[in-house]
Amino acid sequence: MKRALSAGLGAAWRCRALVAFLWAANLAMSALLAVPLATVLERDLREKESAAQMARGFDYPWWSRWSDQQKGWTAAFKPDILGVGFAFRNTELLLNGRLPVGAFATGGKEMAPPDIDVDGVILGLGAAYMLLQVFFSGGILGALRGPRSSLTARGFAHGCGFYFGRMLRVAGVALLLDGAWFWLNAPLAAWANRIAQDAVSETTALAWSYGRHAFLLAGLLAIHGLAGYARAILVLEDRKSALLAFVSALGFCVRRFGAAAGQYLAIAALSLLALGSWTLVDGAVPVTGWATQLLAFALMQAFVLARVGLRLALLGGQLELYRGGR
Amino acid sequence: MTARARWAATVVFASLLGGALLAPGGNADAPKTAPRLPELQAPYPLPPLPPQSPRNANYTIEARLDPATQTIDGSLVLEWRNLGDVPIETFPFHLYWNAFRNNLSSTARGDGTRAARFKSDRDYGFMKIKRIVLLGEPEVDLTRGLRFLAPDDQNGADRTIGGVTAPRAIPPGATARFRIEWTARIPYGALGRAGWIHDYYFVVQWFPKIGVFRKDRWNAHQFHSQGEFFSDYGNYDVTLTLPQGFVVGATGTSEPARNNPDGTQTVRFRQDDVHDFAWTASRRFLERRSRFEEAGYAPVDIRLLLQPEHEHLAERYLRATEVALRSYGTWAAPYPYGHITVVDPAWFSASGGMEYPTLFTGGTHVQAPIELQSPETVTVHEAGHQFWYGLVGTNEFEEAWLDEGLNDYAEAKALELFYGPMGLGRRYFGGKESRGRQRGWPVVAPGVSIGRGEQSLSDLRRLGERDPMVRNSWEFENADVYTLNAYRKPALVYQTLEGLVGDETMTRILRTWSHRYQFEHPTTRDFIATVNEVTGQDWTWFFDETFYSSGLCDYAVVVQEEPRRRATGYVDGPPGDRNTPTPAITMAKGMPDDGLTETTVTVRRLGAVRMPVEIVVELADGRVVRESWDGRDRWARFRYDGPKVQRVSVDPDHKLAIDVDPSNNTWRREEGLARQAAWKWSARFLFWLQNLLELHTVLG
Ligand SMILES: [Zn+2]
């Protein structure tokens, strides 16, 4: 497991140009909405005292009024996403089946958290991003498995195109499994919710509620882990069937459960560590002018970069583990 | 990773971390307000406090709780004096728990989180009068004549008011005595204020309670999902029997419980000069005590009955209760009862956040970051009700703004004074509690704080025009509109009144109100009269614009500027020949800009509500001009010729808390701050979106 972890991190470091490229793609796609938002905010803050307050801190009455007037995707700009809130908000969206494009939203309104719905434009962008990453994944795997010198733009593009069909099928199978997991989980979640409501103590109730969310998340992550191995298998063994690759991946993960789970959890722990460090540092940087704005922006981008890097490290480690343990 | 690369990465990270940690921390814009309360001793005369209440509805109650069947059997003797002007022979009694009898009751047909939506058999509850007797000579059994009344909505299926007719009328000033025996099934506690949850019993509105008679009419409303209660003052002597092992809390004070041979205990509570009696029992309660002692105030023993999982919040509950006793004590009149019981409700109980004489319920979360001010908000609010609802007994059915609204206003003021502005947070992954509120892991938005009243403006904008504020509670369009008009809007109106008359005068108004009407049932008219009396002015217009209006208040400013005009065409001639038009020498074009402008500041009234407004204009030469406008027309225009206008502020001191959009009250010469702010916040949005996009890779 340790070997796979360091091999994965090493591969990600080796492919740092690729990490940077993926980060840039992420930044570019997000900017498609963030830049228009900046225009909207600037227009709506012009010649207002609130501009000064929003530049120094956060003007709640202004935001409240502004937010009430937003109809489309701009309404997603809420204080909820500030600080570490973005991670909670996004995980909440994931666990309530809002990703991708609201496909897995199950259960009635009764169990859904308040304002859980996100505008279609944002969800659509998410789906497009997902598709783009599926396209990239063949190239990423090719780069990760290859020797140091093999990383070229051409090689990457070739990998993307060559494996696209297979990667798309892996994504399809993974989404089907995710859907099945959401579907199977819904009655279980409702049951746990009832137990929580009937609990004697709030602590017990919270334990059941957190527990059911954690259980759902664990299942999704397990499918994600499997999908990684399925991709690795398709590339390493040049196989075609995504479904059979999943079966092989499952067999491998059962055989090498400790190593596979350990490597996954280690990457997850590193992601949490990155999040924790970012939160700590970000909390200590009050944004009051252009300079601090730039610093905060750099910190945020460093986190996203780390996140993309860890994604590649996970895949690299999986490749290594599968290669070594067949 | 090579050693060099690792070293480089470490250096980059360390310098980022170091730079961040060395940067000045904290939000420099959040001044911590030092609590400033008025002196307890008023420097002006106040109406004398009454030595006791009218004591015209006195109850002696004996009741027995049977947890095996979830029933209460009780009998009471009511001694009731006619404070009206005419003889009476019909008597209405509130039978509140019949709201939970079936799905046809008015409460079950109502709207909002207090509407009874039954899910299983345990949710139903009821009250049955077994016997009602008019005592005296001769004793008359009135049971057979019991009729159900529905004066508010003519709902023939509603059983929340039972009326009886006596064979002899009770003349003004005379006393009638009734003996009532009743049995009640306790509803499950996830729906209404009263109920059981596991071994937690919250027993309120639980005995047949007589209506209020004044002048020539009864005031006895059905129980609705929107609105609360109203009753007369009296002395309560209540003896409760229930299994041993239960910790009991109630209105008033008790002697130590007496254990009975059958495994039950009997405990007797007494309280004079209150208008209701509530009690609670649970085996799980932790008990904490403290004593509020402050110069000039009568000491108050605080008894906190706490859920074990909230043990770490005991201090916060107790301190918030003290904050309310101290601040409301000086804004109104010191709390006279000497004791108060704070109940932390059981998980999933709907009994939280309610006021009863000398007892109230709070409600909080296991994870309770101080920024979110829970349990502080609810504790200060419900403790505050002891003053407005408890000591000044306004009619919650008909005039909720006199207790809920006034209390919301004072609560926000006390919280800001003692705790500073509230933070903004959201809870994750915890599911919902009984009344639909979200539980879970609290995440506080860093750097976001909400000032007094600011949280209510969104609701006021959205729902403010649906109904005027003065209206019977159950007659508002829906529960949200009721909540707005009972709590949020009146709180903003009182805050606005405070802004207009000044803090000192506002305190004097509230003190006069609270002294004069202690143990009384004053009305909105009495409140307005008090305002007029204390200020020496007629404020009727103010209440017409707010209490009696469904309009919104919104002032806004627009600034237009153009370079100062230079004359073209013909101007006056030289001295001695001024009358002769002379060609203007200067031409508008081609002259160097001298920086002088003609500025038009237009203040608009966008809403229906008219308030006097002040306008502050800051000019480039450093001058500050203060204008005032009666705010009655749709707009007013002010012109400034010469130096540029730098800033304009309508209502600069934020007196008009009801202005639904304070952000359009200002104009500021654009110097790039809008762009700076826009990029700053777009970067945060970008970061959120980047992570959301990246999260998609977990799925595909
Ligand atoms: Zn209240």
Side-chain angles (χ1 to χ4, degrees):
Chain A
M1 184 275 266
K2 259 192 222 152
R3 206 165 51 86
L5 184 66
S6 58
L9 288 168
W13 177 252
R14 192 160 39 74
C15 300
R16 54 191 179 276
L18 179 57
V19 172
F21 168 73
L22 292 173
W23 162 76
N26 172 295
L27 182 65
M29 274 189 85
S30 307
L32 286 180
L33 294 184
V35 173
L37 178 71
T39 319
V40 171
L41 289 178
E42 185 179 346
R43 182 196 67 200
D44 294 348
L45 280 165
R46 268 191 73 79
E47 299 185 334
K48 285 204 161 96
E49 201 60 50
S50 303
Q53 278 153 35
M54 285 298 275
R56 264 183 279 125
F58 189 88
D59 184 341
Y60 176 80
W62 176 82
W63 171 79
S64 156
R65 175 60 167 165
W66 179 85
S67 176
D68 285 352
Q69 289 166 331
Q70 303 310 304
K71 296 272 186 297
W73 59 270
T74 47
F77 171 57
K78 294 172 191 219
D80 300 356
I81 62 172
L82 304 182
V84 75
F86 81 90
F88 280 83
R89 173 72 173 148
N90 289 348
T91 313
E92 185 186 49
L93 290 171
L94 174 72
L95 296 183
N96 282 276
R98 264 58 185 183
L99 311 182
V101 287
F104 304 133
T106 52
K109 271 206 141 149
E110 198 167 314
M111 276 172 66
D115 41 64
I116 185 68
D117 290 309
V118 179
D119 190 77
V121 171
I122 289 170
L123 291 179
L125 191 71
Y129 184 80
M130 199 170 153
L131 194 68
L132 186 70
Q133 294 304 320
V134 170
F135 175 69
F136 285 159
S137 55
I140 293 170
L141 278 164
L144 285 173
R145 81 164 179 171
R148 172 181 284 259
S149 57
S150 71
L151 179 60
T152 60
R154 245 183 106 180
F156 176 72
H158 176 259
C160 292
F162 185 74
Y163 291 114
F164 181 53
R166 288 178 235 191
M167 294 300 141
L168 198 61
R169 290 198 295 278
V170 171
V173 175
L175 281 172
L176 278 177
L177 289 173
D178 289 332
W181 178 238
F182 270 105
W183 184 75
L184 284 170
N185 185 72
L188 202 75
W191 171 77
N193 191 46
R194 276 197 302 277
I195 291 190
Q197 294 188 345
D198 271 346
V200 174
S201 137
E202 190 202 347
T203 314
T204 317
L206 284 176
W208 276 96
S209 297
Y210 294 158
R212 78 173 159 89
H213 285 99
F215 185 68
L216 175 63
L217 181 64
L220 295 177
L221 295 184
I223 295 167
H224 178 231
L226 275 184
Y229 285 105
R231 291 207 164 97
I233 289 168
L234 285 182
V235 172
L236 287 175
E237 301 181 351
D238 201 23
R239 282 160 59 173
K240 293 254 158 60
S241 165
L243 203 59
L244 290 177
F246 258 93
V247 175
S248 304
L250 185 63
F252 175 77
C253 287
V254 170
R255 258 185 291 124
R256 301 288 314 272
F257 181 75
Q263 187 250 356
Y264 196 99
L265 289 177
I267 294 288
L270 283 176
S271 310
L272 285 179
L273 189 72
L275 178 64
S277 329
W278 176 81
T279 309
L280 208 74
V281 179
D282 179 63
V285 186
V287 175
T288 50
W290 285 112
T292 41
Q293 248 188 68
L294 242 120
L295 179 60
F297 181 75
L299 283 171
M300 289 190 272
Q301 294 315 313
F303 176 78
V304 178
L305 201 62
R307 205 177 153 169
V308 173
L310 284 170
R311 164 150 69 97
L312 263 59
L314 176 71
L315 208 52
Q318 286 174 327
L319 271 171
E320 172 67 21
L321 203 60
Y322 189 78
R323 257 200 301 225
R326 257 183 292 185
Chain B
M1 200 186 270
T2 64
R4 233 182 88 187
R6 226 175 281 139
W7 189 82
T10 313
V11 167
V12 168
F13 183 75
S15 52
L16 278 176
L17 189 79
L21 292 178
L22 288 176
N27 186 351
D29 294 320
K32 276 272 172 262
T33 335
R36 264 183 310 104
L37 282 178
E39 291 291 318
L40 187 60
Q41 294 306 323
Y44 38 79
L46 288 167
L49 288 166
Q52 62 175 57
S53 75
R55 298 186 177 176
N56 69 309
N58 304 303
Y59 292 83
T60 305
I61 306 179
E62 282 180 28
R64 191 179 185 95
L65 165 72
D66 182 358
T69 54
Q70 308 294 13
T71 52
I72 287 174
D73 281 291
S75 75
L76 66 80
V77 172
L78 163 65
E79 201 182 84
W80 180 86
R81 198 165 78 248
N82 181 358
L83 292 184
D85 302 333
V86 294
I88 326 164
E89 49 203 10
T90 59
F91 301 89
F93 288 89
H94 294 284
L95 307 171
Y96 288 113
W97 287 9
N98 284 341
F100 303 95
R101 191 164 170 263
N102 59 36
N103 63 338
L104 306 177
S105 73
S106 295
T107 298
R109 290 174 183 278
D111 181 51
T113 58
R114 288 280 185 208
R117 299 279 184 266
F118 306 100
K119 288 185 185 136
S120 67
D121 182 61
R122 67 182 182 184
D123 293 336
Y124 297 98
F126 53 76
M127 275 168 118
K128 182 193 169 202
I129 291 192
K130 292 196 289 191
R131 197 152 174 268
I132 175 166
V133 177
L134 178 64
L135 299 176
E137 286 301 319
E139 211 173 272
V140 192
D141 190 332
L142 307 172
T143 318
R144 287 183 64 104
L146 182 71
R147 297 283 177 272
F148 294 102
L149 313 170
D152 302 334
D153 61 5
Q154 284 73 48
N155 174 1
D158 196 66
R159 296 283 179 270
T160 55
I161 301 180
V164 289
T165 304
R168 51 179 191 267
I170 308 299
T175 298
R177 293 176 71 233
F178 296 90
R179 184 169 55 236
I180 305 175
E181 290 160 27
W182 84 99
T183 184
R185 174 177 143 136
I186 314 170
Y188 186 64
L191 295 184
R193 297 169 176 88
W196 62 272
I197 298 252
H198 301 288
D199 78 349
Y200 170 81
Y201 289 84
F202 200 73
V203 187
V204 293
Q205 318 300 346
W206 59 291
F207 57 92
K209 192 164 40 165
I210 196 161
V212 174
F213 191 86
R214 285 293 186 281
K215 294 198 176 104
D216 57 354
R217 68 170 189 121
W218 279 105
N219 196 301
H221 294 291
Q222 293 160 257
F223 185 50
H224 302 278
S225 60
Q226 292 165 208
E228 296 178 291
F229 309 97
F230 185 44
S231 39
D232 268 335
Y233 288 89
N235 297 346
Y236 283 79
D237 182 345
V238 181
T239 306
L240 303 168
T241 300
L242 68 164
Q244 291 167 19
F246 275 88
V247 178
V248 187
T251 296
T253 50
S254 71
E255 299 140 22
R258 194 184 71 227
N259 284 342
N260 305 316
D262 63 352
T264 61
Q265 57 173 329
T266 298
V267 53
R268 183 178 178 189
F269 286 89
R270 273 181 285 195
Q271 182 63 56
D272 292 345
D273 302 315
V274 289
H275 56 57
D276 199 2
F277 186 95
W279 61 282
T280 180
S282 170
R283 289 191 177 92
R284 290 185 87 235
F285 279 143
L286 294 182
E287 197 171 344
R288 294 285 180 275
R289 286 174 184 277
S290 78
R291 191 175 163 85
F292 169 70
E293 276 178 313
E294 182 102 13
Y297 294 79
V300 183
D301 287 317
I302 306 172
R303 183 182 182 219
L304 169 64
L305 300 177
L306 194 68
Q307 299 302 315
E309 66 265 32
H310 295 155
E311 190 179 5
H312 58 294
L313 301 171
E315 271 310 307
R316 285 172 61 182
Y317 261 124
L318 294 170
R319 181 166 138 66
T321 309
E322 287 170 13
V323 162
L325 292 173
R326 186 189 302 163
S327 50
Y328 283 67
T330 183
W331 290 327
Y335 182 74
Y337 296 112
H339 53 88
I340 192 164
T341 302
V342 187
V343 181
D344 175 44
W347 162 244
F348 221 70
S349 161
S351 63
M354 264 307 290
E355 65 280 9
Y356 305 93
T358 81
L359 178 148
F360 67 88
T361 54
T364 185
H365 304 258
V366 170
Q367 293 160 288
I370 188 74
E371 294 92 335
L372 301 185
Q373 300 185 353
S374 163
E376 283 80 6
T377 317
V378 69
T379 307
V380 170
H381 181 96
E382 308 306 337
H385 267 304
Q386 299 303 320
F387 300 84
W388 297 311
Y389 149 87
L391 290 162
V392 180
T394 47
N395 188 336
E396 293 187 292
F397 284 105
E398 296 180 358
E399 299 184 308
W401 51 93
L402 289 179
D403 69 300
E404 291 301 353
L406 206 49
N407 191 25
D408 238 26
Y409 153 77
E411 171 212 317
K413 194 169 173 178
L415 283 166
E416 189 165 82
L417 279 176
F418 286 88
Y419 297 96
M422 204 182 340
L424 188 124
R426 185 186 166 97
R427 290 182 182 271
Y428 293 91
F429 314 127
K432 289 174 185 171
E433 63 170 65
S434 54
R435 293 180 64 201
R437 272 188 306 177
Q438 187 70 16
R439 288 268 162 175
W441 198 284
V443 178
V444 179
V448 182
S449 63
I450 306 172
R452 183 178 156 206
E454 288 172 1
Q455 207 166 21
S456 307
L457 292 176
S458 179
D459 281 349
L460 186 57
R461 287 191 290 265
R462 191 165 55 91
L463 302 169
E465 289 173 310
R466 301 284 188 89
D467 270 312
M469 207 184 88
V470 170
R471 204 156 196 171
N472 290 325
S473 292
W474 67 93
E475 287 179 341
F476 285 103
E477 187 187 336
N478 58 41
D480 287 345
V481 178
Y482 158 71
T483 304
L484 174 74
N485 285 293
Y487 296 78
R488 320 255 175 270
K489 178 173 169 183
L492 291 168
V493 171
Y494 295 122
Q495 194 179 327
T496 304
L497 185 63
E498 176 194 300
L500 294 175
V501 302
D503 192 24
E504 233 169 277
T505 307
M506 188 66 184
T507 299
R508 188 167 175 174
I509 290 168
L510 295 181
R511 283 173 166 173
T512 306
W513 167 255
S514 304
H515 277 68
R516 177 170 299 149
Y517 296 110
Q518 184 164 113
F519 303 135
E520 300 272 341
H521 302 312
T523 62
T524 302
R525 263 188 230 171
D526 298 320
F527 186 84
I528 296 172
T530 305
V531 173
N532 292 346
E533 176 199 313
V534 170
T535 57
Q537 289 167 22
D538 186 1
W539 283 82
T540 313
W541 66 268
F542 175 82
F543 294 100
D544 287 342
E545 296 286 347
T546 53
F547 278 27
Y548 297 98
S549 158
S550 60
L552 299 182
C553 174
D554 187 11
Y555 286 93
V557 63
V558 180
V559 173
Q560 286 164 306
E561 51 186 1
E562 55 180 84
R564 177 188 265 180
R565 258 178 216 210
R566 292 152 205 275
T568 58
Y570 295 84
V571 297
D572 292 347
D577 190 20
R578 299 195 81 93
N579 234 351
T580 308
T582 312
I585 304 163
T586 56
M587 294 298 289
K589 283 184 186 167
M591 288 293 292
D593 182 12
D594 58 6
L596 299 179
T597 53
E598 291 174 17
T599 309
T600 311
V601 172
T602 309
V603 182
R604 289 190 181 281
R605 175 166 66 80
L606 303 179
V609 169
R610 292 164 294 187
M611 289 282 151
V613 285
E614 287 162 32
I615 301 117
V616 165
V617 181
E618 290 176 32
L619 299 163
D621 61 0
R623 271 184 307 140
V624 177
V625 186
R626 233 182 153 90
E627 315 271 8
S628 60
W629 173 39
D630 65 11
R632 300 193 72 77
D633 282 335
R634 276 294 176 172
W635 56 268
R637 195 164 280 162
F638 305 89
R639 290 181 205 277
Y640 305 92
D641 190 2
K644 281 183 173 163
V645 167
Q646 293 300 106
R647 285 161 91 161
V648 182
S649 185
V650 177
D651 186 30
D653 307 316
H654 307 289
K655 290 178 179 176
L656 304 180
I658 49 167
D659 188 319
V660 294
D661 186 1
S663 64
N664 64 13
N665 289 18
T666 56
W667 180 89
R668 181 191 173 110
R669 179 168 302 285
E670 188 52 54
E671 285 159 337
L673 283 170
R675 173 156 301 170
Q676 195 180 323
W679 283 103
K680 169 184 168 183
W681 294 108
S682 299
R684 293 278 151 182
F685 178 84
L686 172 82
F687 179 60
W688 166 71
L689 190 57
Q690 284 181 283
N691 281 285
L692 183 73
L693 296 188
E694 186 61 20
L695 187 63
H696 280 77
T697 61
V698 168
L699 289 163

